[in-house]
Amino acid sequence: MNFQEEIEWPDEVEVMVDQLEGEMAERGLSREERALMDVYETVPILESEDCLHEFWQSPIDHQRIIKSFDLIGATGVVDALNASRWCGTRSEDRNDYTETESDYLATIEEELPSAMEELVDLVLEFIEDELG
């Protein structure tokens, strides 16, 4: 999975993330703040070559992250993550997929770039509505 270009977060998002990273140890994060951090930290995984496979093989709280994308309104990303949930039961080697599984995963991943395109706007709106 190769995206045409990686997401470039606007300064407003970068400043908010830096602020939250500084406050995390002191006070913990609200659910909304955690959602922003989850999305911000997960995007590089979804932009990687192994994309959804790598997401499901990563030692992260998958369910919380899916809920975080849902909370900011990124339903296209949520749909792709939920549709690829079966990857979490596979071995770490993507080459172990059957041809049918590989084709199905490729089909899911084809939908991801358009879902990711709207992320910046969704995150900015989320910051304004929930964290601003």
Side-chain angles (χ1 to χ4, degrees):
M1 167 95 299
N2 291 322
F3 289 90
Q4 297 298 355
E5 51 188 78
E6 292 180 5
I7 289 179
E8 276 195 46
W9 295 109
D11 289 345
E12 186 178 349
V13 174
E14 296 285 354
V15 167
M16 179 63 74
V17 166
D18 287 346
Q19 178 184 338
L20 292 176
E21 285 177 337
E23 296 174 4
M24 231 182 321
E26 295 172 20
R27 64 170 177 83
L29 298 177
S30 70
R31 181 61 188 110
E32 291 77 13
E33 291 167 336
R34 182 75 254 163
L36 172 62
M37 294 302 292
D38 285 345
V39 169
Y40 183 86
E41 293 168 351
T42 304
V43 163
I45 295 172
L46 297 177
E47 290 176 331
S48 73
E49 187 176 336
D50 280 338
C51 192
L52 294 170
H53 172 78
E54 185 172 334
F55 172 82
W56 288 106
Q57 296 300 318
S58 298
I60 53 179
D61 185 339
H62 300 103
Q63 196 56 41
R64 186 191 75 212
I65 289 171
I66 292 170
K67 287 180 181 175
S68 293
F69 276 99
D70 193 36
L71 195 58
I72 68 154
T75 54
V77 176
V78 170
D79 291 346
L81 294 174
N82 281 327
S84 64
R85 188 177 292 272
W86 55 273
C87 294
T89 64
R90 311 314 272 186
S91 74
E92 288 186 27
D93 186 0
R94 189 174 177 149
N95 295 326
D96 288 345
Y97 290 174
T98 65
E99 185 176 339
T100 303
E101 290 169 334
S102 292
D103 290 347
Y104 180 57
L105 187 56
T107 302
I108 298 167
E109 289 178 340
E110 284 174 12
E111 304 298 318
L112 204 51
S114 61
M116 297 279 283
E117 279 178 23
E118 61 185 1
L119 260 184
V120 171
D121 291 337
L122 290 169
V123 166
L124 286 171
E125 189 176 315
F126 182 76
I127 288 172
E128 186 178 313
D129 293 349
E130 301 295 333
L131 303 174

